[in-house]
Amino acid sequence: QVQLAESGGGSVQAGGSLKLSCKASVYTNSAYCMAWFRQAPGKERERVAHFEANRETVYADSVKGRFTISQDNDKTTLYLEMNGLKPEDTAMYYCAAEDPLVLGTALMCRGKYNSWGQGTQVTVTS
């Protein structure tokens, strides 16, 4: 497992922007299968954005068009750029990684995340 550390959370007014970062302790193949989750009090954890092994990005409908997931070139830092923030985006945000399934020369992400950060709080005020 890789150690993950999020940063960049804070309090912002509705319509504002924040950019979260998630630094991995070391590069591993899990860098190909990373995601951002969030969990608000009393609600289930939601995967808001993730990478597929082929580098396709996938977003939850609730954030599509407003959030962008990205990585730096060496894949040791994951980002979540959040624009047009709404009060309902208020939550603890976590980054996660999984060890991909190796199929010959290809990798497959299965959504079974086994490394998690400690979370960073995002609060959006109206």
Side-chain angles (χ1 to χ4, degrees), residues 4 6 35-50 60 62-63 88-98 110-120:
L4 302 173
E6 302 95 336
W36 286 99
F37 287 79
R38 68 184 180 188
Q39 188 165 24
K43 294 189 176 182
E44 290 188 0
R45 186 173 60 194
E46 175 187 23
R47 185 171 61 176
V48 297
H50 71 278
S62 58
V63 306
E88 52 264 43
D89 294 318
T90 295
M92 185 72 79
Y93 284 70
Y94 301 89
C95 64
E98 69 166 279
R110 294 162 294 173
K112 297 181 178 180
Y113 301 94
N114 58 345
S115 296
W116 294 83
Q118 81 288 351
T120 186

Side-chain angles (χ1 to χ4, degrees), residues 24-87:
S25 57
V26 66
Y27 170 81
T28 69
N29 275 346
S30 65
Y32 284 89
C33 301
M34 295 192 73
W36 286 99
F37 287 79
R38 68 184 180 188
Q39 188 165 24
K43 294 189 176 182
E44 290 188 0
R45 186 173 60 194
E46 175 187 23
R47 185 171 61 176
V48 297
H50 71 278
F51 276 104
E52 295 288 351
N54 63 1
R55 313 312 295 151
E56 177 185 1
T57 54
V58 182
Y59 298 92
D61 287 343
S62 58
V63 306
K64 201 172 293 184
R66 300 188 297 123
F67 289 13
T68 302
I69 187 172
S70 63
Q71 277 179 312
D72 59 1
N73 288 337
D74 63 7
K75 296 184 178 62
T76 58
T77 305
L78 182 74
Y79 301 101
L80 184 68
E81 186 166 2
M82 306 183 294
N83 298 312
L85 282 162
K86 305 175 181 180

Side-chain angles (χ1 to χ4, degrees), residues 93-108:
Y93 284 70
Y94 301 89
C95 64
E98 69 166 279
D99 295 319
L101 187 65
V102 180
L103 302 171
T105 58
L107 300 176
M108 178 186 289

